[in-house]
Amino acid sequence: MDQTAPLPVPSAPVAEPVAPVATVPINAPSPREQLSRQIAAGQAGNAGDGSILSQLKSNPFFTAGFGLAGIGACVAFAQRGLRRGASLLRRRLLVDVEISRNDESYQWFLHWMSQYQKQQLAATAAQAAAAAQGEKPRVLTSLIQRFTPGLHHLSIQTKNVVHPNGSLHTYFSLIPGPGRHVLRYKNTFIAVDRARDTKSFAHDKGSPWETVTLTTLYSDRHVFEELFAEAHKLAMQLQEGKTVMYTAWGTEWRQFGYPRRKRPLESVILDQGVKERVVEDVKDFMASEKWYFDRGIPYRRGYLLHGPPGTGKSSFIQALAGELDYSIALVNLSERGLTDDRLNHLLTNIPPRTLVLLEDVDAAFSNRRIQSDEDGYRGANVTFSGLLNALDGVASAEERIVFLTTNHVDRLDEALVRPGRVDMTVRLGEATRYQISQLWDRFYGEVEGSEEAKSRFLQQMESLGLIEDEQGHGRQGDYRPSTASLQGLFLYNKGNMEGAIAMAPGLLPGWSSEESDIPSRSHAAMQPARSAV
């Protein structure tokens, strides 16, 4: 009997375990309700402790607000600490220099800064031109010039100069404007802040108040002395060989126009020995400061120059200022609104190394109308006693040289010309034989045959009765020409000695060209001008 193996019975598949499915109750509370229940449970748990502190601690809104306030306080404290730390570092590491507008170095620095910027631009242009020609610039120099900042805020400064012939010339210059600038001076970076306060104005000028603040590292503070020394040197170079004129503007002195070229002392021809005597006296006074102080004498000196118009009074003062390297401060006593107090203030605060010039003092107090008339005119407010006190009063300044000029010395009060106010009186009269000879040499000294022509010109003047003879005997006529009229004659005949000799009769008053055989261009041309030298 065949025995067959039993057929295998298939086993039932084993069921994998199934993860339990979470059942959500139908009445499950929302998150807001859960938060409300937690708050209520906390209140119930603390029902036995009813202190306010416990309730505040258990309040999540309060704890969250307190945390935010604490963070804000910490941030504010940190900000204050950073500010104070930065201020401390600034005081330790930086140094500031402030220049106000009233200081004399204010304009010096602005002018120097603009010129210094021009030099840097010129150096950059030269380097670019060299690079274009194939020259390789140094890497360090190129980087320094690349990172050197320039001026981006500029202001324009305009000056109008009226010349004696009436022509008006306008000059423009660019200076650093209000704002922040950065410059590099001797490898030191300097921050420049030119601030303008539009709410405050200078009472004497009516312009906004301005300051310039320079900031650099404390270790580089020595550059300020070098910078201002260079700015002062540049300002003096602009005035070198020139005479600065000042005029009164309110209660201060302001420069009048551009500095004028110094007039040589030799160009003013005075009578023999007069010029030398005045110059020697002024120089002796300037060297005698200690002598005056030791004896308790006020250190000031006054000079009175008088004489007919055109004799060189103002010209001599201008030439003397150039000889002494002094400036000139002009005072117009007939100016409307000039009071005694203002005049005293001006004469007390004179710019250093400056001569004071009061021209035509005889006309300042003659025929004056003090109170307003029907025509609305009001004369100057300076009184004669105010002038006397300003010149030699208790509050008058020392270290001062004053020059007064007049055409009529007989009109001056004795109190004005007494010693102490006027220490030296000099008369500059009409042209003498010596002056005419010196003027001729100055105009025609380089022309051939000048000596022979000069002799004929002097003989012509002598025959006309205008000068004395060689022995010094008196003239035949009563009229004598001024040096201004002679200068006008020589200027009209530049390089023409024969023309000057022929036109000598034109110096006589009332002379007409029809009385001479000289060919006339016009009657006005034959009359040399008699204006002041």
Side-chain angles (χ1 to χ4, degrees):
M1 168 178 249
D2 296 332
Q3 294 181 352
T4 60
L7 296 173
V9 179
S11 60
V14 179
E16 296 180 358
V18 179
V21 179
T23 60
V24 180
I26 298 176
N27 298 326
S30 63
R32 181 178 296 178
E33 294 178 351
Q34 291 179 2
L35 180 60
S36 300
R37 290 178 181 180
Q38 290 178 2
I39 294 174
Q43 292 176 353
N46 296 327
D49 186 6
S51 64
I52 298 177
L53 182 61
S54 301
Q55 295 180 9
L56 292 177
K57 288 182 179 180
S58 61
N59 191 335
F61 295 105
F62 176 78
T63 54
F66 185 78
L68 291 176
I71 294 175
C74 293
V75 171
F77 183 78
Q79 287 180 347
R80 182 176 297 180
L82 288 176
R83 291 174 182 174
R84 292 192 174 183
S87 177
L88 179 62
L89 289 176
R90 180 183 178 87
R91 290 196 301 267
R92 293 289 184 181
L93 301 180
L94 301 179
V95 59
D96 297 336
V97 174
E98 183 180 272
I99 315 171
S100 64
R101 183 165 187 170
N102 288 342
D103 195 85
E104 193 174 1
S105 61
Y106 184 83
Q107 294 296 334
W108 296 353
F109 174 76
L110 293 181
H111 180 71
W112 172 87
M113 190 173 175
S114 60
Q115 295 297 321
Y116 186 75
Q117 181 67 16
K118 290 180 181 179
Q119 294 177 2
Q120 288 185 333
L121 293 177
T124 303
Q127 183 179 3
Q133 296 178 357
E135 298 182 7
K136 294 183 178 180
R138 296 181 180 179
V139 179
L140 181 60
T141 304
S142 178
L143 289 176
I144 292 176
Q145 291 184 354
R146 183 178 296 272
F147 287 100
T148 298
L151 298 180
H152 299 282
H153 305 282
L154 298 175
S155 295
I156 190 168
Q157 193 175 49
T158 307
K159 281 190 176 181
N160 295 322
V161 179
V162 180
H163 295 279
N165 60 358
S167 61
L168 177 66
H169 283 189
T170 304
Y171 300 90
F172 303 95
S173 59
L174 294 176
I175 60 175
R180 298 181 181 271
H181 312 272
V182 179
L183 61 89
R184 181 176 60 87
Y185 177 71
K186 295 186 176 181
N187 296 328
T188 300
F189 286 91
I190 303 175
V192 181
D193 183 15
R194 183 182 178 186
R196 176 179 294 173
D197 189 358
T198 57
K199 295 183 180 180
S200 59
F201 294 85
H203 67 280
D204 52 352
K205 300 180 181 179
S207 55
W209 181 259
E210 293 184 1
T211 58
V212 173
T213 304
L214 310 180
T215 305
T216 189
L217 294 176
Y218 186 81
S219 58
D220 297 330
R221 62 189 181 278
H222 62 276
V223 300
F224 288 138
E225 297 179 1
E226 301 176 5
L227 187 151
F228 286 112
E230 188 173 326
H232 177 262
K233 182 179 179 181
L234 179 61
M236 293 300 102
Q237 287 178 354
L238 296 177
Q239 300 179 2
E240 187 176 359
K242 297 179 181 179
T243 302
V244 180
M245 299 290 182
Y246 292 99
T247 56
W249 185 273
T251 58
E252 67 172 5
W253 294 100
R254 282 194 186 180
Q255 181 175 329
F256 181 71
Y258 282 89
R260 304 181 182 182
R261 182 177 300 177
K262 289 183 180 179
R263 180 164 183 172
L265 194 60
E266 298 78 13
S267 65
V268 181
I269 308 299
L270 302 181
D271 202 4
Q272 191 170 6
V274 174
K275 177 172 54 178
E276 292 77 10
R277 182 162 55 94
V278 177
V279 174
E280 182 181 357
D281 187 85
V282 173
K283 291 183 177 180
D284 179 73
F285 168 76
M286 295 170 58
S288 304
E289 181 177 1
K290 187 176 182 301
W291 187 91
Y292 276 79
F293 289 160
D294 291 343
R295 288 156 179 79
I297 303 174
Y299 185 58
R300 51 177 173 259
R301 197 155 182 84
Y303 298 86
L304 174 63
L305 306 183
H306 66 94
T311 53
K313 296 182 289 295
S314 300
S315 299
F316 172 67
I317 295 172
Q318 182 179 352
L320 178 63
E323 175 71 15
L324 303 175
D325 197 19
Y326 266 49
S327 303
I328 300 177
L330 304 172
V331 180
N332 182 12
L333 296 177
S334 300
E335 177 187 349
R336 297 186 183 181
L338 182 64
T339 62
D340 294 345
D341 293 338
R342 184 178 154 209
L343 176 64
N344 194 15
H345 179 80
L346 290 171
L347 295 184
T348 304
N349 298 276
I350 301 171
R353 299 185 63 85
T354 301
L355 303 178
V356 181
L357 175 57
L358 286 76
E359 291 189 296
D360 299 327
V361 291
D362 61 290
F365 302 99
S366 61
N367 299 326
R368 295 177 54 193
R369 293 177 290 174
I370 301 300
Q371 300 184 0
S372 299
D373 295 338
E374 296 179 357
D375 57 1
Y377 175 84
R378 182 174 179 83
N381 295 324
V382 175
T383 62
F384 186 70
S385 61
L387 174 62
L388 299 181
N389 291 329
L391 293 176
D392 186 31
V394 176
S396 58
E398 297 191 9
E399 300 184 17
R400 184 183 65 192
I401 302 177
V402 179
F403 277 87
L404 291 79
T405 65
T406 178
N407 296 331
H408 306 280
V409 67
D410 55 321
R411 298 180 183 177
L412 300 181
D413 194 284
E414 293 183 359
L416 180 62
V417 297
R418 71 159 176 81
R421 296 190 178 107
V422 174
D423 303 288
M424 188 175 186
T425 303
V426 181
R427 183 183 188 276
L428 304 184
E430 298 85 350
T432 62
R433 190 183 189 92
Y434 170 81
Q435 290 176 273
I436 296 175
S437 176
Q438 294 294 317
L439 278 173
W440 182 276
D441 292 338
R442 186 160 188 82
F443 279 88
Y444 305 112
E446 299 178 356
V447 181
E448 185 178 357
S450 171
E451 289 297 326
E452 187 271 335
K454 180 175 70 172
S455 178
R456 289 192 289 117
F457 181 78
L458 292 175
Q459 290 179 1
Q460 176 80 321
M461 297 289 290
E462 183 180 342
S463 63
L464 294 173
L466 297 177
I467 59 173
E468 65 278 5
D469 57 18
E470 295 181 0
Q471 286 74 28
H473 295 103
R475 312 178 312 275
Q476 297 179 1
D478 296 331
Y479 175 77
R480 294 178 64 181
S482 65
T483 52
S485 60
L486 286 165
Q487 180 173 283
L489 174 65
F490 295 154
L491 285 174
Y492 185 80
N493 295 277
K494 290 185 295 185
N496 184 9
M497 297 183 295
E498 297 299 330
I501 296 173
M503 292 181 61
L507 298 171
L508 290 171
W511 178 85
S512 174
S513 60
E514 298 177 355
E515 302 176 7
S516 176
D517 296 334
I518 306 170
S520 173
R521 300 180 188 178
S522 68
H523 177 70
M526 296 300 296
Q527 289 287 348
R530 291 183 171 84
S531 59
V533 177

